[in-house]
Structure formats: structure tokens, C-alpha cells
Amino acid sequence: MAKAIKLADIAERVGVSTVTVSKALSGQKGVSEEVREKIRSIAEELGYQQPSAARKSQNQKSYNIGILISERFLDKYESFYWQMYQVVATRATAKECFTMLEVIGMSEEENGRMPKLVQERKVDGIIVIGKMMDTYLQHLNTEAGIPVIYLDYYNGREASDSVISNSYYGTYELTYYLYRMGHRKIAYVGTLLATESITDRYFGYQKALLELGLEQKREWVLDDRHIETGKIDTVNMLQIPKDMPTAFVCNCDLTASLLIKKLRENGYRVPEDISVVGFDNYLYPGLSDIRITTYEVDMGEMARRALHNMIKKITSDNYKSGVTVVEGRLVLKDSVSHV
């Protein structure tokens, strides 16, 4: 069997980095036309061919899209991303595209191991759902040789090509809603820097507090998960403050449901004594007997934008990468009462 040609082989022949080869072959900016043509020429000479190129030559308009999700987001209760994957798969079918899911284990992330979908050249592009280790994503972008788009994640330190929900405005609106309901002592629940979305949601909450002139206390910012693994830990974290606020803004509905349980264990009623709001408008069935007021993430629109951008990225040399922000909406339910 002939040796599979890698980006590193082309980079060595041309005398450039694998990053430059990846950009040139996937139609990204940052490569001169002279270098781009030289890279394409060497790639053709060596017999390197992206799956998308083969499909284009046959005048086909369908593409295979790989979906990557970290295993830590697919345990029993972290099923938000499983739901998001299903929405993406359904939207892809409507566009006559096919999706292939690969769950990335922690050892694969830590060791920078390429997904099998990429190694075996089964897909034309990759959509990464949720956060993975920065070093793993850097390796993926450098070595995959096919377009990569992030869904519900972005990396501000690099030029990310992402589709995200409006986390900042969502918690801003939730905090304003609690203020309109009479609340003046409002806390935030979410481990800062655990994910970009949790941190963005905190800043939306903070902006509302500043504009409203409300008191900000460090003990009213509660951790809910381990920053290294992202695992929610209600035993060692999610500590109830001594000076109790009247309302909590939670970074997701799962955390909101677990907080409600802990508040009840400490003798508080929701919403009679304490109001709680979440984010996502998605919760594993049976986790809460109270319907949680939340900010709904528009999964359908996020999936549509991600697929639209991916197809453009596969087929067009003039594709411009960037961050696409999708608006959601406030959904009022039963977990908030007027003070």
C-alpha cells in the first residue's frame, strides 16, 4: 500500500510550515498566491488530494462532515451537546450532506491524536462541538488539512472560525429580568474560565449589575465545576453563601437544577424564598420538578449557520472566517417570583 501523503511531506518539499500548507489547501487567507500555487502543485505531484477535491471533480454537491465532541460532554446529564449534534445531523441531511460523529477521549486530547475520521480521510470538513484542549485544537487546525469550524466555542487568542450563542447578552437580559422582578441581591453560578461561554455569561451578568448600580460581592460568584475537567461538582463546590442573595443567575440549566436541589436541602424554597434562572433551555428529563426560567439557545439556527459556513469554506477560496453570534430568547417559566 502506498504511503499516505501528509501535510508535513508537502511542507518539507516547499520549505514552509504545515500551518501554511493547511491554509493554502483549505483556501484560507494569509498565504500569497505564488506560495499557494506552489503548494498546490507539489500536493498534486505527490498525489495528495482532499476528499472535497475528489467530490468536486465529480460535480457532486454533497459532503461528509465530521462532528467531534469531547467524551466529557456526553455523560448521563451533559446531554446538551448530544442534542446539538442531533440538530446538526438533521440539518445536514436536509442539505444532502452526511455527518459522522467521533467522540474524542481525554487521552486523545492530551496526546494530540488526530481523529480517525481525519486520518482515514473520510470527511471534507470538521465541526467541533464544545470546548477541547487548546493544544489539541491547534494540532487539529495545523495537521487536518481540511476546514474546521467550532460550534458553541471560540478561542479569542487565535483566529477562530466559530458559531456561538449570545452568552453575553443572554445573562445580561436574565439579570435585568430579575431586577424588574424586584431583586437587588443577585449572585452568579459558574466557574470562571472553565469555558469561554461561562466567562462570557459572567460578564453579561456583571454589565447588568454595573448599569443597575447593584452591589457586587465576591462570595456571590460561585464555582460549579472543576476548571481542569469541566465536571460539575455539587459536593465540593456550589457552596451556599452566608449572606444569601435573593436570586441566582446560573450558567446553564443543569447547574440551575442542581442549585435548586441544594437550596432545598438547606431549607430554602424556590421560587418563594430564592429565585433561580438558567441558560440553554435544555435539561435532562427528570432532573427538576420546577420549570426553570432561562435563556434559550437557538440550536437550529446555530446548526444552520455552522453547516452553511462549512460548505462555503469547503467550496470557496474566498471564504472569510470569523465568529458568528446567534441570538436566543428569554423563556419565562416557574423558578422566579417577585420580591
Side-chain angles (χ1 to χ4, degrees):
M1 181 179 292
K3 175 187 173 184
I5 302 301
K6 300 180 179 179
L7 295 183
D9 300 324
I10 303 171
E12 184 178 356
R13 282 283 300 273
V14 180
V16 297
S17 69
T18 53
V19 175
T20 301
V21 174
S22 175
K23 287 182 176 180
L25 295 179
S26 59
Q28 298 181 50
K29 296 186 296 183
V31 184
S32 69
E33 282 307 310
E34 181 182 354
V35 173
R36 191 186 302 275
E37 285 305 314
K38 187 174 181 180
I39 289 171
R40 287 175 174 171
S41 176
I42 294 297
E44 184 177 352
E45 177 187 330
L46 294 176
Y48 179 85
Q49 188 178 47
Q50 299 181 71
S52 57
R55 201 164 270 105
K56 283 183 198 175
S57 67
Q58 299 169 15
N59 294 320
Q60 294 181 4
K61 293 184 179 180
S62 63
Y63 301 96
N64 292 332
I65 310 298
I67 310 295
L68 304 184
I69 306 177
S70 173
E71 67 175 354
R72 64 179 177 268
F73 293 127
L74 292 179
D75 64 16
K76 183 177 180 182
Y77 299 129
E78 294 280 8
S79 52
F80 175 77
Y81 284 145
W82 175 250
Q83 178 77 4
M84 184 168 280
Y85 161 70
Q86 291 178 310
V87 174
V88 172
T90 300
R91 294 278 174 149
T93 301
K95 288 182 172 289
E96 298 185 350
C97 293
F98 303 92
T99 56
M100 301 180 189
L101 174 66
E102 183 168 344
V103 179
I104 305 300
M106 287 303 298
S107 62
E108 281 78 12
E109 278 194 64
E110 291 169 354
N111 296 317
R113 199 169 300 142
M114 271 294 118
K116 290 182 179 179
L117 292 176
V118 173
Q119 292 182 37
E120 299 172 7
R121 299 186 184 180
K122 290 186 175 180
V123 293
D124 302 288
I126 291 288
I127 294 177
V128 180
I129 299 182
K131 181 177 181 178
M132 292 188 185
M133 294 175 63
D134 287 348
T135 52
Y136 181 80
L137 294 176
Q138 288 166 2
H139 185 59
L140 182 67
N141 279 321
T142 300
E143 297 294 333
I146 55 177
V148 177
I149 288 179
Y150 305 129
L151 184 55
D152 201 44
Y153 168 80
Y154 75 97
N155 185 339
R157 296 177 296 281
E158 297 181 16
S160 293
D161 202 2
S162 311
V163 177
I164 60 173
S165 62
N166 199 337
S167 293
Y168 180 82
Y169 179 73
T171 46
Y172 175 86
E173 189 172 354
L174 284 164
T175 306
Y176 253 92
Y177 169 69
L178 290 170
Y179 181 85
R180 292 195 300 272
M181 294 295 286
H183 295 276
R184 300 295 182 267
K185 299 171 68 175
I186 305 173
Y188 180 78
V189 187
T191 301
L192 304 185
L193 301 180
T195 69
E196 279 70 15
S197 61
I198 289 176
T199 308
D200 286 350
R201 289 167 193 178
Y202 167 74
F203 284 126
Y205 151 84
Q206 279 279 39
K207 182 176 189 289
L209 293 188
L210 286 169
E211 289 185 357
L212 295 167
L214 299 183
E215 184 178 13
Q216 304 176 53
K217 288 190 175 184
R218 182 62 189 91
E219 68 170 312
W220 287 354
V221 180
L222 283 65
D223 290 338
D224 70 331
R225 67 191 69 204
H226 295 281
I227 195 168
E228 299 85 3
T229 64
K231 291 291 185 181
I232 293 176
D233 183 350
T234 59
V235 176
N236 300 302
M237 298 184 176
L238 211 58
Q239 300 300 315
I240 303 300
K242 292 181 180 178
D243 181 9
M244 278 294 289
T246 63
F248 290 85
V249 177
C250 297
N251 75 87
C252 66
D253 290 342
L254 175 58
T255 290
S257 70
L258 297 173
L259 174 64
I260 290 171
K261 180 180 178 182
K262 197 152 192 173
L263 287 170
R264 287 173 171 172
E265 290 171 352
N266 283 267
Y268 295 100
R269 300 170 299 165
V270 177
E272 293 86 354
D273 302 322
I274 305 289
S275 292
V276 177
V277 298
F279 205 105
D280 293 335
N281 198 25
Y282 182 84
L283 187 62
Y284 191 86
L287 281 183
S288 178
D289 59 0
I290 184 169
R291 297 167 66 247
I292 299 171
T293 291
T294 187
Y295 186 83
E296 182 177 76
V297 170
D298 192 340
M299 284 194 203
E301 181 61 13
M302 289 176 69
R304 188 191 71 79
R305 296 278 191 95
L307 289 165
H308 174 77
N309 291 355
M310 176 58 72
I311 292 172
K312 285 185 66 177
K313 196 169 185 177
I314 290 171
T315 58
S316 174
D317 289 341
N318 298 318
Y319 174 80
K320 295 182 179 179
S321 62
V323 178
T324 302
V325 181
V326 176
E327 301 297 332
R329 67 186 183 96
L330 191 65
V331 180
L332 305 181
K333 297 184 183 179
D334 307 324
S335 61
V336 175
S337 63
H338 199 285
V339 176

